[in-house]
Amino acid sequence: MEQKIIILDFGSQTTQLIGRRVRELDTFCEILPYNKFPKDDPSVIGVILSGSPYSVHDPEAFKVDLSQFVGRLPVLGICYGAQFISHTLGGKVEKADSREYGRAHLSTVDTTNPLFKGFEQNSQVWMSHGDTITAIPEGFECIASTNDVKFAAYASKSEAIWAVQFHPEVFHTLQGTQLLKNFVVDICGSTQSWSAASFVDTTVAELKAELGDDKVILGLSGGVDSSVCAVLLNRAIGKNLTCIFVDHGMLRKNEFRDVMHDYECLGLNVIGVDASEKFFSDLSGVTDPEQKRKIIGRDFVEVFNAEAKKIVGAKWLAQGTIYPDRIESLNITGKVIKSHHNVGGLPKEMHLQLCEPLKWLFKDEVRRVGRQLGMPEHLITRHPFPGPGLAVRILGDITPEKVRILQDADDIYIRGLRDYKVRLSGEDARKVLAAGVPAEMTDGEIEVSLYDQVWQAGTVLLSTVRSVGVMGDERTYEHPVALRAVTSTDAMTADWAHLPYDFMAKVSNEIINKVKGVNRVCYDISSKPPSTIEWE
């Protein structure tokens, strides 16, 4: 039976990051709401309590019955989790004089304690809390402090309980991975048997057993999730898989042709459908962003269903749903649990069963599985791209000419990001490597493209705006475009990428000189929140 770590989510923005760090230790983990601990699961080898936006003193704060696992399994509390353990077992948690947020250093650390094995003195950690632990329960001892936080970490003298007020899961805690490894591997006893190779072998065997000779339909988007899903299914059931790739006319430049070629080279059975005429007709004159999305979603279902009905005897619909789509997220304004909007089941008229081979994987794990399957790197590292495509990157109504302008400008931008190489070291290098980008470390540095350094990039056409310009002594009155590039780990929050000035200058000049209809280039320097990654 597969070993697993249970991560109980109290509403922290970094809970998924804890999960990713545990998975990087080749250990399976499951993220569950704080009140859904699986009491009778013998595969659980340890429990981690996440952070939370609440104070333990808030009347609506999330609470869990610790007796479900304390004394039976090793437990690690992080931030709110550490405060909750202390508060519940007889310690004291009080509001800090000032919110403790940012880098700190462990002025003292007990490296004889198994949680801090291999730690350096004065190791950097990341704090983010408004309350602080001022007294720990009886039978516990302090195992780490900073200059400002006496109980930066504490542990039980008799039970397998550890707690840290800092966040080991974030990159700013420089030995955070070491701490999590000490807990997951040394304390909990993980055999570290969860890997891309083991996942492929196990999943292919399970798919063969579950699907047998049944026919399966899969909608492809060109993105990494659906592409990896297709190759995995193809390895299991071969020609019994039929993929449908719908071109709504708002893909990137030459994308339909290029992706179809990639899929054919991978040996996939793919039906390509050019439905751009229908989409452009139905979108004519529509300017409201939400209405655009609804029309595209409706038309896609109609086109996809029409093709799917031609496949006689199909019993399954496969989807590239990944784990973050399925994790129940806590609504911090109340105690309502909601599911991700991508998980909506099947249209009733299709009468198909659902197959989701990637449902336990994080995005970086999907990429590792893709590499294990031998897929080309440009498919694996492709940035996220919205389902409605360039329609949500054109402000105003959609026309083939506006799409052409945006495709040309975006093609120059994306090719430029792929061609421009940068050398990274330290924290920046660790972030890129942790995201699964293949790069060799030389003298403490790695070389990657700007494309690999950012989470997502794209171009926006401000077609409702015209600006004055001068080209060849002639006055122009054309559209501006805005370039967008963000860094992120999960798209829940994102910061604008600090692209080099020389790169920005080169791309700007090339777009203005080569793309008819554009005479101004801007760069979007807003973060999420308050802005979103896409403009519409």
Side-chain angles (χ1 to χ4, degrees):
M1 182 176 291
E2 186 78 55
Q3 295 177 316
K4 72 171 75 166
I5 297 289
I6 293 296
I7 300 168
L8 293 181
D9 181 18
F10 290 83
S12 171
Q13 286 189 339
T14 61
T15 300
Q16 286 194 29
L17 195 52
I18 300 172
R20 290 178 60 204
R21 295 290 169 262
V22 172
R23 295 280 184 89
E24 286 167 10
L25 297 169
D26 298 328
T27 303
F28 184 68
C29 67
E30 199 171 342
I31 297 172
L32 296 172
Y34 67 98
N35 57 355
K36 292 192 177 181
F37 179 76
K39 297 179 183 178
D40 301 317
D41 188 342
S43 65
V44 179
I45 60 172
V47 182
I48 297 176
L49 310 185
S50 82
S52 175
Y54 284 120
S55 162
V56 294
H57 300 295
D58 289 341
E60 65 271 30
F62 299 134
K63 297 178 174 62
V64 65
D65 179 4
L66 295 176
S67 66
Q68 296 176 92
F69 40 81
V70 165
R72 189 164 68 84
L73 294 165
V75 179
L76 173 64
I78 295 175
C79 196
Y80 174 90
Q83 295 167 3
F84 180 79
I85 291 171
S86 176
H87 176 71
T88 304
L89 298 183
K92 195 170 184 180
V93 178
E94 297 181 285
K95 191 171 186 61
D97 292 336
S98 60
R99 190 165 184 262
E100 294 163 339
Y101 181 83
R103 292 176 177 83
H105 292 83
L106 298 179
S107 53
T108 60
V109 56
D110 180 3
T111 56
T112 65
N113 188 282
L115 190 69
F116 286 113
K117 184 184 76 173
F119 255 63
E120 301 171 0
Q121 296 294 332
N122 207 39
S123 186
Q124 178 180 293
V125 297
W126 184 263
M127 296 285 188
S128 180
H129 55 92
D131 288 351
T132 192
I133 298 167
T134 54
I136 56 179
E138 187 177 346
F140 285 73
E141 61 182 344
C142 178
I143 56 174
S145 304
T146 70
N147 289 333
D148 299 316
V149 180
K150 180 179 180 181
F151 300 108
Y154 66 93
S156 171
K157 297 176 183 178
S158 58
E159 304 273 13
I161 306 173
W162 289 263
V164 295
Q165 284 219 87
F166 54 88
H167 287 269
E169 71 273 21
V170 302
F171 288 104
H172 305 295
T173 297
L174 297 185
Q175 291 188 278
T177 299
Q178 179 67 45
L179 185 148
L180 290 172
K181 182 181 179 184
N182 291 342
F183 178 73
V184 170
V185 179
D186 296 347
I187 293 172
C188 296
S190 168
T191 56
Q192 296 184 279
S193 57
W194 172 265
S195 66
S198 67
F199 174 83
V200 169
D201 292 342
T202 301
T203 305
V204 168
E206 289 174 350
L207 289 170
K208 285 179 177 179
E210 182 179 28
L211 303 175
D213 293 326
D214 292 350
K215 291 184 178 180
V216 180
I217 302 169
L218 169 65
L220 288 172
S221 67
V224 60
D225 298 338
S226 67
S227 299
V228 171
C229 182
V231 175
L232 192 62
L233 276 163
N234 187 57
R235 180 167 293 192
I237 62 172
K239 292 301 181 182
N240 278 342
L241 170 68
T242 301
C243 303
I244 300 172
F245 183 24
V246 177
D247 180 8
H248 49 40
M250 287 152 285
L251 300 173
R252 282 178 160 152
K253 187 173 182 178
N254 299 325
E255 184 171 21
F256 185 68
R257 181 199 69 193
D258 294 346
V259 171
M260 282 294 293
H261 176 72
D262 284 335
Y263 287 153
E264 288 166 7
C265 291
L266 288 168
L268 299 178
N269 177 25
V270 184
I271 297 171
V273 184
D274 182 356
S276 54
E277 196 172 307
K278 171 180 174 58
F279 282 86
F280 280 125
S281 174
D282 290 351
L283 286 167
S284 178
V286 177
T287 59
D288 180 72
E290 191 59 27
Q291 194 177 354
K292 281 193 232 176
R293 287 180 177 272
K294 287 180 178 178
I295 290 170
I296 292 169
R298 179 201 69 202
D299 283 4
F300 179 86
V301 170
E302 288 179 8
V303 173
F304 183 85
N305 286 354
E307 290 298 323
K309 287 175 182 177
K310 299 175 185 177
I311 303 167
V312 180
K315 294 184 179 180
W316 298 81
L317 177 69
Q319 292 182 347
T321 309
I322 63 174
Y323 194 38
D325 297 337
R326 300 170 55 248
I327 295 173
E328 293 180 294
S329 54
L330 298 174
N331 180 351
I332 63 172
T333 62
K335 296 198 177 184
V336 176
I337 306 295
K338 62 179 181 180
S339 293
H340 193 279
H341 64 86
N342 281 356
V343 186
L346 300 171
K348 291 180 181 178
E349 65 273 15
M350 293 193 76
H351 305 293
L352 298 175
Q353 299 178 74
L354 187 61
C355 175
E356 297 174 309
L358 309 181
K359 64 184 178 181
W360 290 111
L361 300 185
F362 288 99
K363 177 72 79 173
D364 47 344
E365 291 177 307
V366 174
R367 292 191 168 107
R368 291 191 187 101
V369 168
R371 292 188 180 98
Q372 184 67 32
L373 291 166
M375 293 174 61
E377 196 64 29
H378 67 269
L379 269 182
I380 295 169
T381 58
R382 186 175 187 259
H383 286 177
F385 188 65
L390 300 179
V392 293
R393 294 180 180 175
I394 296 174
L395 305 193
D397 65 323
I398 309 297
T399 66
E401 174 61 11
K402 289 179 181 178
V403 171
R404 192 275 308 165
I405 292 171
L406 183 53
Q407 284 177 333
D408 288 347
D410 187 70
D411 184 58
I412 291 170
Y413 180 37
I414 298 300
R415 282 193 293 105
L417 287 169
R418 289 188 182 278
D419 292 342
Y420 193 100
K421 306 298 181 184
V422 292
R423 295 196 67 81
L424 304 174
S425 61
E427 197 170 289
D428 291 333
R430 289 196 304 121
K431 286 181 181 179
V432 171
L433 291 172
V437 175
E440 292 290 332
M441 183 77 76
T442 306
D443 297 329
E445 291 186 329
I446 60 171
E447 183 177 81
V448 296
S449 69
L450 279 179
Y451 186 88
D452 287 333
Q453 193 183 0
V454 303
W455 168 269
Q456 186 173 347
T459 311
V460 180
L461 177 64
L462 283 64
S463 71
T464 57
V465 177
R466 289 184 181 271
S467 67
V468 176
V470 178
M471 291 185 184
D473 295 329
E474 291 184 8
R475 179 181 181 273
T476 62
Y477 195 53
E478 296 178 330
H479 299 297
V481 296
L483 307 182
R484 182 81 158 131
V486 298
T487 57
S488 180
T489 56
D490 54 12
M492 298 293 289
T493 61
D495 194 12
W496 61 278
H498 296 216
L499 301 180
Y501 287 163
D502 62 329
F503 166 78
M504 300 287 283
K506 182 177 184 297
V507 166
S508 174
N509 288 337
E510 190 172 352
I511 289 174
I512 291 171
N513 289 334
K514 293 183 178 179
V515 181
K516 186 178 179 181
V518 175
N519 67 354
R520 193 177 298 270
V521 175
C522 311
Y523 187 57
D524 182 348
I525 60 168
S526 48
S527 298
K528 175 187 178 181
S531 301
T532 54
I533 295 176
E534 300 294 344
W535 278 41
E536 287 195 345

